[in-house]
């Protein structure tokens, strides 16, 4: 299925589901996977595992895209305090230069911006370009899942406690789950100091 190129910074509110890249799975590469060496051996590009381990030890992140168990892309995100930068990106020869890489870039940029948003002084830089601030807007209360879990927990507690009082406990649990399943919308907010520029090149 053909995947269209999208702008690096989405200019309308969006959900994380819309960032998924069809046919690929995104993973956060941890120290364990690097030390085993199996993941990197599936790639047709070369990268220094020891260097990646140092990035992780310094609070950085390494993201990978896999397809049918093979590593097709790798993003190295370094951390300097609450400033996150990605200057190293590796692509498999079969996808390099293809529109799908733009979609991967967009998803990783979001992950960087999301992490930066957890800190008041957080910032993200992707290949020399400053990423706009990311804001989160919570969706409405999810009554569907609230009722579903209230019924489920109600039956479970009634059976376990062997008392109608279980219905009340189930209802309370269900109401709490309604808050957990609210959908989030995200939006990039341009810094007023940037004027008419979409992003600032470092």
């Amino acid at each position: 299925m053909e995947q269209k190129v999208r702008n690096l910074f989405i200019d309308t509110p969006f959900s994380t589901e819309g960032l998924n890249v069809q046919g690929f799975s995104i993973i956060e590469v941890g120290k364990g996977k690097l030390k085993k060496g199996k993941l990197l051996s599936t790639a047709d590009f070369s990268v220094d595992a020891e260097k990646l381990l140092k990035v992780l030890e310094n609070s950085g992140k390494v993201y990978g895209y896999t397809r049918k168990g093979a590593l097709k892309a790798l993003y190295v995100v370094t951390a300097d305090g609450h400033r996150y930068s990605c200057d190293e990106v590796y692509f498999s020869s079969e996808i390099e230069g293809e529109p799908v890489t733009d979609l991967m870039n967009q998803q990783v940029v979001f992950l960087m911006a999301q992490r930066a948003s957890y800190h008041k002084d957080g910032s993200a830089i992707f290949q020399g370009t400053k990423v706009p601030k990311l804001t989160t807007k919570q969706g409405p209360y999810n009554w569907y899942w609230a009722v579903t879990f209230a019924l489920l927990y109600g039956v479970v507690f009634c059976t376990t406690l062997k008392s109608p009082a279980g219905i009340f406990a189930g209802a309370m649990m269900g109401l709490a789950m309604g808050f957990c399943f609210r959908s989030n919308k995200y939006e990039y907010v341009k810094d007023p100091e940037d004027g008419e520029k979409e992003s600032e090149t470092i």
Side-chain angles (χ1 to χ4, degrees):
M1 182 178 293
E2 183 180 353
Q3 305 192 57
K4 296 181 180 178
V5 178
R6 296 187 296 228
N7 293 327
L8 195 59
F9 309 129
I10 305 171
D11 55 9
T12 57
F14 62 93
S15 63
T16 55
E17 291 79 8
L19 297 176
N20 293 331
V21 183
Q22 296 176 13
F24 295 84
S25 298
I26 185 171
I27 60 172
E28 186 174 317
V29 183
K31 295 179 183 178
K33 289 183 178 180
L34 287 176
K35 289 178 179 178
K36 289 180 181 178
K38 184 178 179 181
L39 179 66
L40 293 183
S41 68
T42 65
D44 65 1
F45 51 80
S46 178
V47 58
D48 186 351
E50 289 299 321
K51 184 177 181 180
L52 298 182
L53 284 170
K54 288 181 180 179
V55 168
L56 295 178
E57 289 169 357
N58 289 311
S59 302
K61 295 285 186 182
V62 178
Y63 299 105
Y65 281 90
T66 62
R67 183 169 62 186
K68 296 180 180 179
L71 185 64
K72 299 299 180 182
L74 196 71
Y75 290 78
V76 183
V77 180
T78 59
D80 180 10
H82 298 149
R83 176 186 172 119
Y84 306 102
S85 304
C86 180
D87 295 314
E88 289 186 65
V89 180
Y90 302 86
F91 293 123
S92 166
S93 57
E94 67 181 84
I95 67 169
E96 190 167 10
E98 294 296 320
V100 69
T101 60
D102 293 295
L103 308 184
M104 293 174 176
N105 290 344
Q106 189 181 68
Q107 190 172 33
V108 172
V109 162
F110 163 74
L111 293 173
M112 293 174 62
Q114 185 181 46
R115 192 176 181 200
S117 71
Y118 298 151
H119 310 282
K120 186 177 181 180
D121 61 341
S123 63
I125 310 293
F126 184 78
Q127 296 188 326
T129 299
K130 182 179 178 181
V131 180
K133 293 289 185 181
L134 185 71
T135 61
T136 306
K137 296 180 181 178
Q138 286 192 323
Y141 183 81
N142 196 319
W143 282 104
Y144 172 79
W145 286 112
V147 172
T148 300
F149 278 101
L151 293 173
L152 177 63
Y153 285 125
V155 172
V156 171
F157 285 124
C158 278
T159 304
T160 304
L161 301 175
K162 297 180 180 179
S163 168
I167 296 175
F168 177 76
M172 293 299 100
M173 292 288 288
L175 288 173
M177 295 304 289
F179 287 104
C180 296
F181 280 87
R182 285 188 295 182
S183 59
N184 289 333
K185 288 286 186 180
Y186 300 91
E187 186 173 10
Y188 289 111
V189 179
K190 185 174 64 174
D191 189 335
E193 294 182 1
D194 291 341
E196 297 299 317
K197 295 185 297 180
E198 277 193 19
S199 61
E200 176 187 345
T201 300
I202 303 301

